[in-house]
């Protein structure tokens, strides 16, 4: 079973991938992107 | 040909070695030669000529020399060189199967003993046999046999049997098992061939069915274990549903052992066929019922079909079947003992007296009594272990608590009965079966587990019975439980889900546990279970929807360890394929399922709750703490749920593949925690009994809606949608009056008299018959009201309790959950009642299993009136209403921010604090926090009688989303009743205030004042 740290890591990866995909598809103005940004900030991710 | 080819490739030295081996054959040397020497025909000939044939043939027993058999067979009759033991092994299937190919056919015929098992040998179709044996036609077969008999090679007594084997242009070649399976794989076998293959072993037949499911129709598999394994791998129901009615009857009649593997649809069709054929022959129907009960088919299913065709009455049916079962199960015992037990059974079921009211009561109670008696009489172990006197006492005392304790003590010992003694409020209805007291089962599920089965309605009770019959399952279950211990919660629901999923995948798990359970296998099992949640529950999974739109197809079931070991790759590929070929909404849904697992989130659908709302509401859930990780996972899920761009979704899926990302198993515990928080809040919202009683009693003063001038309370039924059909039964001065009401009119019946009001073709109302019947009806006391419903039909009516002088209007909506969906003309309610449609003339009725004591529906149902949900529960399982076990009302306010506020007015239930304190005594597996069916909470306390009723559905009025929370919390569908005015947010505080006063009363008054919906 995965440790908590690994789980956190996996969640972070997923969030970052979504951010990347939204950017690549010019979705910076979307509500989803805004929410992802908030999430990144909350989780102290770039 | 083969030797020619070899020869061409041989070099000079090789040719020289062959030449030497041919010229100087030496004892013991042959098998030391290289292949090209051994394969040379001249070498083989030389060895046989030199007299070394027997030695060579004996060596053939070694598998790796099997390929030489054909060459040896051409040279000499190998059979003659075999010892008796070797011959027996050969025919029993233990010898070197390759030798079969080189044994001369005459020897085979003469040596084949028809008494020996033909497990490994089978018929082939003509062409294959021609190829192998050069003998195929029946005539040739017979001729051959005759010659052999003449020559004295076949004993005369075997001739007839051998002839049988030459029928249908086949003969009896013998082939290794793998050859047969290769044929199956290659699809060379045809329908007729399969029929001919019926002489082979069941395991082989099952393998062929696995390769070609349709072959099941032609192959008769008798071995129970083989059949049971096969049924788990092949959808036998799908195969059987392809044949017509007469074929089906013939097929099942000849293979009764498949009955228990059939789904309800196929069983129903079969039983309908048989009952139709048994018209005017009640005995045949009763016998059918008894036979099928023995095969594990529920009696109520058969009875409901019997009811439709009215071959016997319900009472007569159960009485007859029960008597038959006693005779069967007590076979071999003393005749007088059987007579005494039958007598006790008849007494317990009740004897009809001719008094209509009493007879109706007996009729209404017969089903439940029958099933409760059978819990004992159908349990072989209990019958073995307890005395006749105890069995009779069980029935004579109407299955009293003391008699049950006595049975449990005698059959299962002190430990078992001590658990039961802790629950003096229980009745036989609460004990799902006696198998839960089996020592091995108690060890397995523990003290708490036994209490769980005594407390909740657990479908997995049948898995317990299966484990008792097959103890191997217990050890396997322990291994499985270890794998899923963190996946399913340590609760009643967890126990139920672990048991049911274990059973569902038993075949695969059983194979898996034969080897080492690696971490990868464990992870794949969990991933498979998680995926299953999506494919089993999502509304868009299936064939096509009602508008013929393509739905998400279900993936193939994983059946082998090899597939399981590659499960992640298999499921990812399947998801990717589905994602590629789906429209945006399904694409998003599939991506979420692939990475997050099943969390239904389509607004407006059943079992939905809104993650966004959950996040907003989170602070209101004071009891359950969520970590940032958990909240962020939910937030991410919700963000993805809003993406509507195909390109984004596809790229997202593609990128996720390339990295370590969130998995459905990670999300399982988070999702469960959300559900858990709803449950806790729900429990907190339950009002105390005292408060509920106060409210209901104060209601006595406002009975203005009960309209009868003489003070009696009569109600009217009305259906507001659906088929608009109704059936009422009332009694007056001991006479039974019935009303059948449809959109075409009404018909009142009393004995032979009737009065009808209908509309003719010109729209003119016509009244015919004896109007006295109408008057009788209007004055009668209601015995029963029922109606035919379709999925989604809504009924509004008034519930009336004679003792309490209370009456309320209620809305009830039926769901498919109440009925068997497969058969449009005949349904069976979950509780064993049935409804029927007679002759398509709209004369319709529902017979509910439970009686309508005191004029109130006595089964557990959910109702709603105005904006509140109401549940009615009356005297479940008891013949008369105990003043202390009256109605339990749940009145839920769907308008509050979260959580229906429920009002519990059941005098034998407990207030929240008591329930929780009682639960503290129980081990983890029966903690209240995991309560599955809300009524069950009343049963945690040992001093309550309580009921054991599954919650049918969550009724949603105005605020669908709130109801959805509860629906998901209890894994139940939502029933959304339209027609209510919508409340705005600003109205809510006011509503809450009014509710403090007594919303219950206000709503009833409103309805009574004619606020029709």
């Amino acid at each position: 079973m995965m440790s908590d740290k690994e789980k956190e890591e996996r969640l972070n990866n997923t969030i970052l991938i979504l951010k990347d995909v939204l950017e690549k598809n010019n979705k910076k103005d979307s509500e989803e992107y805004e929410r992802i940004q908030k999430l990144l900030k909350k989780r102290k991710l770039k | 040909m083969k030797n020619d080819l070899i020869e061409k490739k041989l070099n000079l030295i090789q040719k020289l070695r062959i030449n030497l081996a041919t010229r100087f054959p030496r004892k013991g040397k042959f098998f030391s030669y290289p292949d090209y020497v051994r394969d040379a025909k001249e070498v083989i000939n030389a060895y046989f000529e030199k007299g070394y044939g027997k030695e060579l043939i004996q060596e053939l027993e070694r598998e790796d020399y099997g390929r030489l058999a054909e060459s040896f067979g051409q040279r000499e009759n190998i059979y003659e060189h075999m010892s008796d033991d070797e011959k027996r092994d050969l025919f029993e299937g233990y010898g070197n199967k390759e030798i079969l190919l080189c044994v001369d056919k005459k020897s085979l015929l003469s040596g084949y003993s028809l008494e020996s098992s033909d497990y490994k040998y089978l018929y082939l179709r003509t062409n294959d046999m021609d190829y192998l044996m050069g003998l195929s036609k029946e005539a040739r077969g017979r001729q051959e046999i005759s010659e052999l008999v003449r020559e004295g090679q076949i004993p005369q007594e075997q001739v007839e049997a051998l002839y049988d084997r030459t029928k249908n242009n086949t003969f009896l070649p013998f082939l290794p098992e793998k050859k047969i399976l290769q044929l199956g794989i290659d699809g060379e076998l045809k329908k007729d061939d399969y029929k001919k293959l019926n002489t082979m072993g069941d395991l082989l037949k099952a393998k062929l069915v696995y390769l070609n499911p349709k072959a099941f129709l032609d192959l008769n598999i008798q071995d129970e274990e083989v059949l049971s394994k096969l049924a788990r791998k092949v959808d036998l129901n799908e195969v059987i549903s392809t044949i017509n009615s007469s074929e089906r009857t013939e097929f099942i009649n000849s293979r009764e052992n498949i009955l228990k593997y059939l789904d309800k649809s196929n069983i129903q069709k079969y039983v309908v066929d048989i009952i139709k054929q048994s018209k005017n022959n009640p005995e045949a129907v009763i016998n059918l019922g008894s036979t099928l009960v023995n095969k594990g088919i529920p009696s109520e299913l058969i009875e409901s079909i019997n009811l439709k065709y009215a071959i016997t009455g319900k009472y007569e049916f159960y009485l007859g079947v029960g008597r038959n079962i006693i005779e069967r199960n007590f076979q071999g015992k003393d005749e007088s003992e059987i007579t005494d037990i039958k007598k006790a059974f008849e007494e317990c079921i009740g004897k009809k007296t001719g008094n209509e009211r009493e007879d109706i009561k007996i009729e209404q109670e017969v089903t439940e009594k029958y099933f409760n008696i059978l819990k004992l009489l159908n349990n072989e172990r209990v019958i073995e272990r307890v005395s006749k006197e105890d069995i009779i006492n069980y029935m004579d005392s109407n299955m009293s608590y003391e008699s049950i304790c006595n049975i449990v003590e005698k059959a299962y010992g002190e430990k078992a009965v001590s658990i039961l003694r802790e629950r003096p409020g229980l009745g036989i209805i609460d004990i799902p079966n006696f198998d839960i007291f089996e020592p091995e089962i108690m060890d397995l599920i523990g003290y708490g587990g036994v209490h769980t089965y005594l407390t909740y309605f657990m479908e997995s009770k049948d898995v317990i019975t299966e484990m008792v019959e097959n103890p191997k399952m217990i050890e396997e279950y322990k291994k499985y439980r270890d794998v899923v211990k963190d996946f399913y919660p340590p609760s009643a629901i967890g126990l139920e889900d672990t048991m049911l999923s274990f059973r569902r995948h038993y075949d695969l798990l059983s194979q898996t546990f034969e080897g080492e359970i690696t971490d990868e296998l464990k992870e794949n099992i969990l991933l498979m279970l998680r995926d299953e949640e999506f494919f089993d529950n999502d509304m868009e999974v299936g064939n096509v929807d009602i508008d013929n739109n393509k739905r998400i197809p279900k993936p193939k079931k994983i059946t082998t360890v090899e597939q399981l070991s590659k499960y992640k790759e298999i499921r990812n590929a399947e998801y990717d394929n589905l994602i590629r070929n789906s429209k945006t909404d399904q694409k998003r849904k599939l991506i979420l399922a692939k990475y997050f697992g099943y969390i239904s989130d389509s607004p407006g659908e059943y079992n939905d709750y809104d993650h966004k709302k959950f996040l907003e509401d989170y602070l209101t859930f004071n009891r359950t703490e969520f970590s940032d990780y958990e909240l962020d996972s939910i937030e991410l899920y919700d963000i993805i749920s809003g993406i509507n761009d195909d390109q984004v979704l596809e790229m997202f899926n593609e990128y996720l593949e390339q990295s370590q990302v969130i998995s459905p198993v990670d999300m399982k515990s988070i999702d469960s925690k959300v559900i858990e928080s709803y449950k806790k809040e729900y429990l907190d919202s339950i009002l105390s009994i005292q408060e509920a009683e106060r409210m209901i009693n104060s209601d006595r003063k406002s009975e203005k809606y009960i309209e009868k001038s003489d003070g009696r309370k009569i109600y009217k039924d009305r259906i507001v949608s659906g088929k608009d059909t109704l059936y009422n039964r009332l009694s007056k001065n001991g006479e039974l009056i019935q009303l059948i009401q449809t959109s075409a009119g009404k018909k009142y019946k009393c004995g032979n008299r009737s009065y009808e009001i209908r509309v003719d073709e010109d729209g003119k109302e016509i009244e015919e018959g004896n109007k006295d019947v109408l008057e009788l009806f209007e004055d009668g006391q209601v015995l029963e009201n029922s109606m035919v419903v379709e999925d989604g039909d809504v009924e509004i009516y008034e519930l009336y309790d004679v003792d309490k002088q209370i009456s309320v209007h209620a809305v009830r909506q039926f769901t498919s959950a109440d009925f068997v969906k497969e058969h449009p003309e005949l349904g069976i309610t979950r509780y064993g009642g049935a409804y029927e449609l007679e002759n398509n003339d709209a004369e319709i009725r529902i017979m509910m299993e439970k009686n309508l004591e005191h004029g109130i529906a006595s089964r557990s149902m959910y109702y709603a009136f105005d904006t509140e949900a109401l549940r009615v529960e009356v005297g479940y399982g008891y013949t008369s209403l105990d003043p202390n076990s009256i109605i339990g009302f749940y009145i839920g306010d769907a308008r509050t921010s979260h959580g229906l506020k429920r009002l519990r007015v059941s005098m034998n239930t407990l207030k929240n604090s008591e329930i929780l304190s009682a639960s503290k005594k129980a081990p983890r597996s029966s903690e209240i926090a995991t309560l599955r069916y809300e009524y069950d909470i009343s049963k945690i306390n040992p001093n309550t009688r309580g009921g054991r009723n599954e919650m049918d559905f969550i009724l949603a009025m105005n605020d669908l989303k709130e109801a959805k929370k509860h629906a998901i919390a209890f894994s139940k569908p939502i029933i959304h009743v339209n027609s209510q005015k919508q409340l705005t947010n600003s109205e809510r505080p006011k509503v809450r205030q009014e509710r403090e006063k007594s919303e219950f009363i206000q709503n009833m008054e409103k309805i009574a004042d004619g606020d029709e919906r």
Side-chain angles (χ1 to χ4, degrees), chain B residues 606-609 613 893-900 902 953-970 972-976:
Chain B
Y606 293 153
N607 279 0
D608 173 52
Y609 73 104
K613 185 102 184 279
D893 183 354
R895 296 166 298 189
T896 50
S897 296
H898 19 74
L900 297 179
R902 301 274 163 145
F953 47 81
I954 298 288
L955 197 74
M957 302 303 287
N958 286 333
D959 193 336
L960 184 59
K961 285 195 171 177
E962 292 307 319
K964 281 173 184 171
K965 287 181 183 178
H966 297 277
I968 198 157
F970 290 95
K972 289 291 156 193
I974 280 184
I975 304 308
H976 188 194

Side-chain angles (χ1 to χ4, degrees), chain A residues 1 7-8 10-11 13-15 17-18 20-22 24-25 27 31-32 35-36 39 42-43, chain B residues 526 612 629 632-633 635-636 638-639 642-643 645 647-648 651-652 655-656 660-663 666:
Chain A
M1 292 297 148
K7 283 184 180 177
E8 294 269 0
R10 281 142 63 117
L11 173 64
N13 287 344
T14 317
I15 295 169
I17 287 171
L18 182 56
D20 192 27
V21 169
L22 289 171
K24 283 198 164 111
N25 284 276
K27 299 283 178 188
E31 187 198 328
E32 286 78 30
R35 287 174 72 186
I36 278 287
L39 205 50
K42 184 183 168 197
R43 296 187 68 76
Chain B
L526 299 181
K612 199 169 179 179
Y629 164 74
D632 293 348
S633 299
E635 171 70 2
L636 176 63
D638 196 51
I639 294 172
I643 298 175
D645 186 311
Q647 207 176 322
V648 172
M651 190 187 281
F652 186 47
Y655 282 26
L656 288 177
Q660 289 293 315
V661 294
I662 197 159
S663 94
D666 293 348

